[in-house]
Amino acid sequence: MSHKLGMEGKLFRNAGTYGTPDWKEMKNVKDLTLTLEKGEADLTTRGNAGWKATVGTLKEGSIEFEMVWDTEDEGFTALQNAWFGDTPVEMAVMDGPITASGSQGLRATMSVISFSRKEPLEEAMTASISIKPTYAEHAPEWMKVT
């Protein structure tokens, strides 16, 4: 039996092109949630003996995470600029190093949807960030390193 700890997960930003990626690990990331869901279509008929029948439709994905508010951090600044500039950024959220055989996760061109600042009195100032796949030349993919 194998397991992964949350601290082993990695978030990467592509500073290169899709075909020749230059993956930069975003080390200034705290708690992260990758949400993968599908819409639903109801296929219930009288022949289902009183049971609803559902099939998954369009896939949805989002990545929500916290970063320490550090305007000198390259990854932080890239996401802040993407939010203010309405520009997409290619990201990969992996369960290990992006070059390690067996690592896997979502790779997608993303839009920064939320970039909110938290200012707790006795804690570090942080940014709460939400990113979602956007209209792009390449569709989101589940990436597995071989």
Side-chain angles (χ1 to χ4, degrees):
M1 178 177 256
S2 176
H3 67 276
K4 295 270 187 178
L5 299 176
M7 66 184 190
E8 295 175 271
K10 310 278 184 192
L11 181 63
F12 297 92
R13 178 181 57 85
N14 184 1
T17 64
Y18 187 86
T20 309
D22 178 14
W23 295 111
K24 304 288 186 188
E25 183 179 352
M26 309 238 338
K27 294 185 178 185
N28 178 16
V29 172
K30 295 176 74 135
D31 297 336
L32 181 145
T33 300
L34 168 63
T35 302
L36 299 172
E37 298 177 329
K38 289 183 181 180
E40 298 179 4
D42 184 354
L43 297 179
T44 305
T45 65
R46 294 176 185 168
N48 279 73
W51 286 88
K52 281 191 157 216
T54 305
V55 66
T57 59
L58 296 176
K59 295 174 182 73
E60 294 181 58
S62 67
I63 305 170
E64 291 86 24
F65 54 98
E66 300 274 327
M67 293 183 83
V68 171
W69 192 273
D70 180 356
T71 57
E72 294 181 9
D73 179 89
E74 184 180 316
F76 176 90
T77 302
L79 293 177
Q80 185 180 43
N81 290 341
W83 190 87
F84 280 105
D86 296 320
T87 55
V89 59
E90 186 182 0
M91 305 291 288
V93 57
M94 306 294 288
D95 65 0
I98 202 158
T99 56
S101 181
S103 288
Q104 57 182 296
L106 181 68
R107 176 185 185 180
T109 301
M110 307 290 243
S111 180
V112 180
I113 300 301
S114 173
F115 196 91
S116 302
R117 186 167 73 194
K118 291 184 180 179
E119 300 180 6
L121 199 55
E122 292 189 9
E123 300 293 333
M125 194 178 291
T126 59
S128 293
I129 300 166
S130 176
I131 58 179
K132 294 183 177 184
T134 190
Y135 183 75
E137 182 179 352
H138 301 280
E141 66 175 300
W142 192 254
M143 181 173 145
K144 292 184 181 179
V145 181
T146 55

